[in-house]
Amino acid sequence: MKSFRDSQDVAWTVFEVRRQVSAPGDWSYLPSGFSDGWLCFECSAVKKRLIRYPERWREFNDQELQKLLEQAAPAPRSNLRPGEDFGDSSTSPDLRPD
């Protein structure tokens, strides 16, 4: 997980989402291209996903991370309040395993 600020001084958090697949078809509910994982970018108001990204993204500086952010597609945000439980994590592709 990394934090950075974009050129508009917005604070972003970026992290890689990967899941262990225990059986064929475990990722069948995900849109095409997400089976290999993705980068998730979040700020206070927006969430984005990037499915094709460099392996060494953790080494990128703020400007390089912003370029990846600009390529990312908007993603739905959860409406949960802090401290609420997500329930069954298998229905949310953005939950990372503990």
Side-chain angles (χ1 to χ4, degrees), residues 2-20:
K2 285 189 75 166
S3 296
F4 71 100
R5 291 194 171 271
D6 66 17
S7 61
Q8 304 297 314
D9 204 34
V10 174
W12 289 88
T13 301
V14 58
F15 55 90
E16 189 171 355
V17 179
R18 291 196 176 261
R19 287 211 169 155
Q20 294 179 351

Side-chain angles (χ1 to χ4, degrees), residues 1-96:
M1 182 178 290
K2 285 189 75 166
S3 296
F4 71 100
R5 291 194 171 271
D6 66 17
S7 61
Q8 304 297 314
D9 204 34
V10 174
W12 289 88
T13 301
V14 58
F15 55 90
E16 189 171 355
V17 179
R18 291 196 176 261
R19 287 211 169 155
Q20 294 179 351
V21 177
S22 58
D26 278 357
W27 290 72
S28 60
Y29 61 90
L30 293 173
S32 177
F34 284 84
S35 61
D36 291 330
W38 59 92
L39 286 184
C40 183
F41 293 86
E42 290 185 315
C43 71
S44 61
V46 177
K47 181 175 178 179
K48 292 182 147 196
R49 296 182 190 136
L50 180 65
I51 57 173
R52 290 181 189 85
Y53 56 93
E55 259 184 60
R56 300 177 70 179
W57 68 270
R58 289 176 191 84
E59 301 169 20
F60 283 18
N61 63 33
D62 288 4
Q63 293 79 20
E64 293 168 315
L65 288 171
Q66 180 169 335
K67 287 180 184 177
L68 293 179
L69 171 63
E70 291 167 358
Q71 298 171 37
R77 291 189 63 94
S78 169
N79 291 329
L80 294 178
R81 294 182 200 109
E84 283 186 307
D85 188 5
F86 280 96
D88 179 9
S89 64
S90 67
T91 61
S92 178
D94 286 337
L95 292 179
R96 291 167 288 149

